[in-house]
Amino acid sequence: MTSPPALPPPAACRGLPAPRRTAARRFTIDDGGASAVEFALVCAPFFVLLLYILQVGIYYMTQTALDAGVIRTADELRSSFNTAVPLMPDAAALKTKVEANAGGLVSAAGANVLAVEMRPMTSLSAAAVPISGGVADYGTATSVLALRAQTSVVVFAPGFSSLNKVTSTSLLRRQAR
């Protein structure tokens, strides 16, 4: 079934101009460019969220790498302490061992600052003793030792400037033979 043909306007209306559209009316009716406006509104928060996710990922990857380096170094030292002639590396050698055991995210070169120290637990009597690199104190033959390391993290997301350092600690005991 076909629709009836459109009727022409009445003769009295034929000479009138078409109704005028105001700018506001044209804006509400015209939807050209709506996708571009929606993209602009969604794009900025999406990329900021993506930066935050990447920043948190880099922070935790660096923390995990430093933990692995400190734990492996402490394990090597513990096994060395169980030998007849234990090796007691100086602070620079400890730093090199932690860096080698931690992988590529932890490095003493460039902007990263890696501080490594070995101290007896008795010297860490305060609640928060800052890590000062360059200390290798092995205490007595039965001391409980704390191997501590701290490094900086690359920060590129706004608002994460307080998360620019990661710290790791491992405890081990010297046992006399």
Side-chain angles (χ1 to χ4, degrees):
M1 178 171 221
T2 60
S3 61
L7 297 173
C13 296
R14 285 188 189 147
L16 296 175
R20 301 175 88 197
R21 292 186 178 176
T22 62
R25 176 108 175 128
R26 280 189 302 231
F27 183 73
T28 59
I29 292 173
D30 189 14
D31 62 353
S35 297
V37 172
E38 291 171 359
F39 177 75
L41 290 173
V42 172
C43 182
F46 174 74
F47 283 118
V48 169
L49 180 65
L50 187 65
L51 276 177
Y52 287 162
I53 290 170
L54 290 173
Q55 182 66 59
V56 169
I58 288 175
Y59 178 83
Y60 282 111
M61 284 175 53
T62 306
Q63 179 69 57
T64 303
L66 185 64
D67 286 344
V70 168
I71 290 169
R72 287 182 189 142
T73 303
D75 192 40
E76 290 173 8
L77 287 172
R78 183 193 51 78
S79 62
S80 169
F81 291 158
N82 290 334
T83 61
V85 181
L87 296 174
M88 296 190 189
D90 62 348
L94 280 174
K95 185 176 186 178
T96 304
K97 281 186 178 206
V98 169
E99 184 178 356
N101 288 329
L105 280 177
V106 176
S107 171
N112 291 343
V113 177
L114 177 63
V116 178
E117 71 176 14
M118 174 72 78
R119 290 188 187 206
M121 284 295 294
T122 56
S123 69
L124 301 174
S125 58
V129 177
I131 295 175
S132 60
V135 177
D137 181 6
Y138 289 92
T140 63
T142 59
S143 294
V144 176
L145 303 172
L147 175 62
R148 304 187 315 155
Q150 180 177 16
T151 190
S152 58
V153 178
V154 176
V155 176
F156 54 83
F160 278 81
S161 60
S162 63
L163 295 176
N164 62 349
K165 295 205 179 294
V166 293
T167 305
S168 183
T169 303
S170 184
L171 300 177
L172 61 145
R173 178 184 292 273
R174 282 187 60 192
Q175 296 182 353
R177 281 216 157 229

